Structures are given as C-alpha cells and as structure tokens.
Amino acid sequence: MVFSSTYFLLSFLAIFLIVYQFINPKYKNYTILIASIYFYSWGAPVFVYLLLASTIIDFYLVAAMHCAQSIRSKKGLLILSVSLNLGLLFYFKYFNFFIDNFNIVLSKFGVENLTWTEIILPIGISFYTFQTLTYSIDVYRHVHKPLTKLTDYLLYIMSFPQMIAGPIVRFNEIADQITSREERTEDKIYGFFRLAIGLGKKVLIANVLGHQADLIMSQDPNSLGMLTAWIGILAYTFQIYFDFAGYSDMAIGLGQMIGFRFPENFDNPYTARNITEFWRKWHITLGRFMKNYLYIPLGGNRVGKYRMFFNLWLVFLLSGLWHGASWNFVIWGAFHGFFLILDRLFLKKLLDKLGKIPSILFTFFIVMIAWLFFRLEHFWQVKAYLKSMFGFNNGNYITEWDLSFKFTMILAIIFSFFTIFKFGQKINDWVYTPTDPTKKWYFSMFAVCVLLYVLALASLATEDFNPFIYFRF
C-alpha cells in the first residue's frame, strides 16, 4: 500500500483516524500496531510473518543484552542481534547480486554457473534493518533503556507512517514518544498540512516529471537528441527529489497527527553550495545514521588525513550499496564520496570564492550527473547518455513536451531553488516553521492544503503512473 493511492487516502487512513480519535488512550498504540501490520501485509502478505518473527527474536535478544552482567555477554548478544538483522538484509537484498557476480567470475574460468531461485526483495527491508540496528546499538551504548513491552518495540519498527521509506528514526529520538506522548489539536491540523503538501509534491509534481523521465530514459541513450537528453535527466533529478521529499513530508505529517515527531529528512538540498552541504540537506536521517553508526566508529575525523578520506569514501560506497544491490549504486556512492574528499582537499574553498549562485549551479550539475548512475543500470548507458547530453551521439529521438509537463517543470525549478533568495526563505519558514501561527495562517494553509489534497485525488483517479522510487530500497 502506498500513501499516494485512493484506497489509502479515502479508506485506510480515514477509518484509522476515526478509530484512533475515539478509542481509549491506553489502546492507541495497539491500534497503530494493528493498522501497521495490515498496512504492510497489503503489499507483502508473506513477508510480514518473517518480519514479525525476526522483530520478536530481536526484542528478546536486546532485552537479554541489557540485563547481561559481563561485557563479554553484552558484546556477544549485540553481535548476534546485529548479525540477525544484517543477515536478513544480505540474504534478501544482496544474495542475488552476489550469486550473479560469482557466476560471472566462474564463467571466466569455464566453470558451470550456480543455479538458484531468485529471491524476492521485501518492501522497505533497508529501512527496517537500520531501525533495528539503532535499537540494539543505542541500548548497548546506554543511550536509552530498552522498551519493556514487546508491542511497543513492534510499534517502533513497524509504525506505518515511516516504516516503508523512512525517515530513519533513531531509537533514542522516539522511545519516550512511544510510551508517553502528547496529542494536541494544533499538531493534528499541522500534520494534515504536511500530509497534503507531501501528497502534492508526489502526485502533482513527481508523477508528472517521472512520466516524462521514464519515457526518455527508457530509450536507447545513443538515440537521444541533445535537448531531449537534458530534459530527461532534469526531469528525473526533480522527480526523485519531489518523490522522496513528498513521501517524507507525508510520513512526518501522519506521525504528527497521532502525536509523533519524526525528524526532518530534507532541507532544500538543491540549494547546496557543495557536495558536503548537499548531504546535510538530502536524506538527512540516512546521513546521520551513517555518521553515527559507521563513520565515527571507523575513526571519523580523529584519524590521519588519508585514513579519514578512506573512511569517508567507504561510508559512501556502502551508502550506495544500501540503496540497491547493483554496481550502478556502488558507483553512485563512490562518485559522491570522491567529491566529498575533493571538498576537503580544495573544492569547497574554491566554490566559496566563486560565490553563491555559481557554486549552487556547479553542485547541482554534479548531483544531476550522479543521478545518471542512480537511474541507469549499466555503465555503457551512462556513457552513451552523457555523449548525447553533450552532442556527441547525433541522436534524433525527440519527445513531445506538453503544457502540463512544461508548467510542472517550471514549478519544480521554482520550489527547488526559491529559498536561495530571502523572500523565498521567508515563505518556506512561514509554511513549515511558523513561530506564532495566527488564525490567518491556519485559514490560508487550510485552504491551500485542501486544494492540494483534492487536486491530488483527482489526478490519482485518472492516472495509472504512481511509483514511489524509494519503495524498492
């Protein structure tokens, strides 16, 4: 089940919110948990049993770890918990990749390939794994005590607003909210505003751009005309942002409607002046996870310069692999890691000297080129696409760009970059972080968000194209 579907918006969510509003407070967590199990079962009816079983086992492993008297026992149980969760991730997400590449090596030596049954990837397993890791590691580090009720832990892992595609919520950020949280009327209203804004980003912008991006980027890249190639990658660049940021807005809004405060996941990333800043603004919760649970344990900035560069590059290599079991994702991660190292060597200082707008445009260009590795599976496709972008292929494939696409592209550009200017930042702050909202603010936001909600529903009723890019991760 996806947030941007008429069934979710008109049936599942409506029924859930009505029940949740009127049920006895002591049963509210159970209501969310039951709804979350149903939500996940809708798209993965077989895997939900595996998910429940592994989560239950992990709960008792961490409880035993917390009560263990010796450091050796604690470490052993932590390793067992981490191994369980990473083992599931490796098996379901990377086993096919490993066997495919192992068979390539075998074929080089004339050895018969291994045969196996293709493994289906459970929805959202990467996000599930990261949240289980934060639980066991935070408890081991004494950042927060473990939960005492199994159902509360199941709720932390399976909460439907952010289970499938984040934000990645660290255990210590939400533990107290699970057991005791305040639900205010203004939070429910503002949660609806975030939900509607995210739905608008997803349906009214990302879907429109994504349709055009898929049409262009599914062609043989050698056949593309220069302008068409640029339109294709620009459409995909804005699609993936509004798709994922839209989902995050919806998740944050849904959480707020039931009393949870999830961390922000995006902060106008295409206005970044260098790649380092881009990763402070893009998928913020993933960046924080990789920093706290991988980069810092590897030594972070406390080691020598070249070791630090290696750690940084390794983190982004693994970040790319986390996104998908394919070499193109590994290259995408390595590409970003390379520019992060360049930032520390000289690039950041150079871009600062160039000024605000040139540095933003340069960074946006680098990010856009990197998205080619993210979107296209094979390196030859990326190479051919780049040749088409810069006029070396003499392709003649040209697609029609209707008025709806042109208008949506203009909106995407405006909403992606308008915070560069002071008036744009003021509008952004007025919408997302009002310091003292007035009745006029509530009335204006309500009118705009209801309009977005209705337009999005109308679009969903007439269009079949409705993917969520990050669902496959």
Side-chain angles (χ1 to χ4, degrees):
M1 193 185 308
V2 297
F3 291 169
S4 59
S5 67
T6 53
Y7 177 75
F8 174 82
L9 295 167
L10 298 179
S11 298
F12 176 89
L13 184 60
I15 294 170
F16 167 77
L17 290 175
I18 291 170
V19 173
Y20 187 82
Q21 177 65 33
F22 294 105
I23 202 166
N24 189 307
K26 66 180 180 180
Y27 298 123
K28 286 196 171 186
N29 277 1
Y30 297 112
T31 303
I32 302 171
L33 179 57
I34 292 168
S36 298
I37 293 171
Y38 175 76
F39 178 87
Y40 191 84
S41 301
W42 182 269
V46 176
F47 290 115
V48 71
Y49 298 107
L50 174 68
L51 188 70
L52 286 168
S54 63
T55 305
I56 291 169
I57 292 170
D58 196 52
F59 173 78
Y60 288 108
L61 280 175
V62 175
M65 178 188 71
H66 181 67
C67 295
Q69 298 300 313
S70 68
I71 296 296
R72 184 177 180 180
S73 297
K74 286 181 180 290
K75 284 185 176 180
L77 289 166
L78 174 66
I79 291 170
L80 192 57
S81 172
V82 171
S83 298
L84 168 67
N85 294 300
L86 288 181
L88 287 173
L89 180 66
F90 175 81
Y91 176 73
F92 284 105
K93 190 164 185 175
Y94 302 107
F95 193 73
N96 289 335
F97 176 67
F98 173 78
I99 293 295
D100 285 339
N101 284 275
F102 187 65
N103 279 336
I104 291 172
V105 174
L106 289 179
S107 65
K108 298 292 184 182
F109 294 95
V111 180
E112 185 178 351
N113 286 355
L114 297 176
T115 57
W116 81 104
T117 303
E118 286 278 344
I119 299 167
I120 300 173
L121 179 67
I123 299 171
I125 191 168
S126 296
F127 291 90
Y128 159 81
T129 302
F130 274 18
Q131 294 213 174
T132 58
L133 291 178
T134 73
Y135 181 72
S136 56
I137 295 172
D138 281 358
V139 171
Y140 176 80
R141 291 175 173 174
H142 301 289
V143 177
H144 201 285
K145 294 187 296 184
L147 295 165
T148 57
K149 292 173 63 177
L150 172 61
T151 52
D152 285 344
Y153 180 57
L154 287 169
L155 176 61
Y156 164 63
I157 297 298
M158 299 188 67
S159 176
F160 75 86
Q162 49 76 229
M163 176 193 182
I164 303 297
I168 299 168
V169 181
R170 293 177 60 184
F171 173 62
N172 68 295
E173 293 175 323
I174 202 146
D176 295 334
Q177 297 177 45
I178 293 173
T179 54
S180 177
R181 60 186 177 275
E182 181 183 4
E183 297 179 14
R184 302 179 303 176
T185 301
E186 54 264 40
D187 287 333
K188 296 179 188 294
I189 296 171
Y190 189 66
F192 167 71
F193 293 165
R194 287 298 294 265
L195 173 67
I197 290 169
L199 184 64
K201 287 180 180 178
K202 161 63 186 165
V203 176
L204 302 178
I205 296 181
N207 281 3
V208 176
L209 300 180
H211 188 274
Q212 190 70 48
D214 279 9
L215 182 64
I216 294 173
M217 302 189 80
S218 62
Q219 304 296 321
D220 178 355
N222 289 297
S223 69
L224 299 177
M226 184 176 176
L227 180 59
T228 302
W230 278 96
I231 292 295
I233 188 55
L234 279 168
Y236 183 74
T237 297
F238 290 116
Q239 178 206 359
I240 196 169
Y241 168 51
F242 285 98
D243 184 278
F244 196 15
Y247 184 96
S248 294
D249 276 343
M250 295 176 77
I252 291 167
L254 287 167
Q256 197 160 358
M257 291 170 78
I258 55 178
F260 289 100
R261 283 169 173 78
F262 298 145
E264 294 292 340
N265 215 19
F266 289 88
D267 181 20
N268 300 293
Y270 290 154
T271 63
R273 299 178 62 172
N274 50 69
I275 294 298
T276 302
E277 185 181 354
F278 173 78
W279 277 101
R280 295 194 191 110
K281 292 169 169 285
W282 176 276
H283 204 343
I284 298 168
T285 56
L286 173 63
R288 289 190 309 161
F289 180 94
M290 301 301 282
K291 176 183 177 181
N292 286 287
Y293 297 98
L294 186 57
Y295 181 67
I296 291 176
L298 285 171
N301 298 331
R302 303 185 305 275
V303 294
K305 182 171 68 173
Y306 294 106
R307 173 64 186 277
M308 180 191 71
F309 290 162
F310 174 78
N311 290 345
L312 196 62
W313 187 74
L314 177 63
V315 165
F316 274 85
L317 202 71
L318 294 175
S319 175
L321 191 60
W322 174 83
H323 280 84
S326 179
W327 286 112
N328 61 303
F329 292 112
V330 177
I331 295 171
W332 174 79
F335 186 86
H336 274 279
F338 174 72
F339 275 92
L340 284 163
I341 292 170
L342 291 185
D343 275 352
R344 282 159 174 76
L345 287 172
F346 68 90
L347 190 55
K348 186 176 182 296
K349 291 181 180 178
L350 177 61
L351 290 173
D352 287 342
K353 290 179 180 179
L354 288 177
K356 186 176 183 179
I357 301 301
S359 61
I360 288 173
L361 292 175
F362 175 82
T363 303
F364 179 75
F365 174 77
I366 296 301
V367 170
M368 182 176 63
I369 297 301
W371 286 133
L372 283 174
F373 293 101
F374 199 89
R375 177 61 175 77
L376 301 174
E377 187 173 352
H378 302 291
F379 185 75
W380 73 264
Q381 292 175 304
V382 176
K383 183 179 178 181
Y385 202 99
L386 285 169
K387 289 174 70 176
S388 291
M389 284 175 63
F390 294 100
F392 295 113
N393 269 338
N394 297 318
N396 54 16
Y397 177 82
I398 299 175
T399 185
E400 292 290 332
W401 307 312
D402 59 26
L403 183 61
S404 174
F405 170 74
K406 293 176 182 177
F407 177 72
T408 305
M409 178 65 85
I410 292 170
L411 284 181
I413 294 170
I414 291 172
F415 290 143
S416 294
F417 293 105
F418 79 132
T419 56
I420 293 173
F421 309 101
K422 288 184 178 180
F423 77 90
Q425 187 61 55
K426 285 183 179 179
I427 294 172
N428 188 80
D429 294 342
W430 185 84
V431 171
Y432 287 102
T433 55
T435 52
D436 188 20
T438 61
K439 288 183 179 180
K440 182 180 179 181
W441 181 85
Y442 279 108
F443 179 80
S444 302
M445 286 294 294
F446 183 78
V448 170
C449 290
V450 167
L451 178 61
L452 285 174
Y453 207 82
V454 171
L455 290 174
L457 283 173
S459 178
L460 290 172
T462 57
E463 292 288 339
D464 295 329
F465 186 84
N466 188 35
F468 256 124
I469 293 175
Y470 267 72
F471 265 35
R472 59 179 173 152
F473 307 133

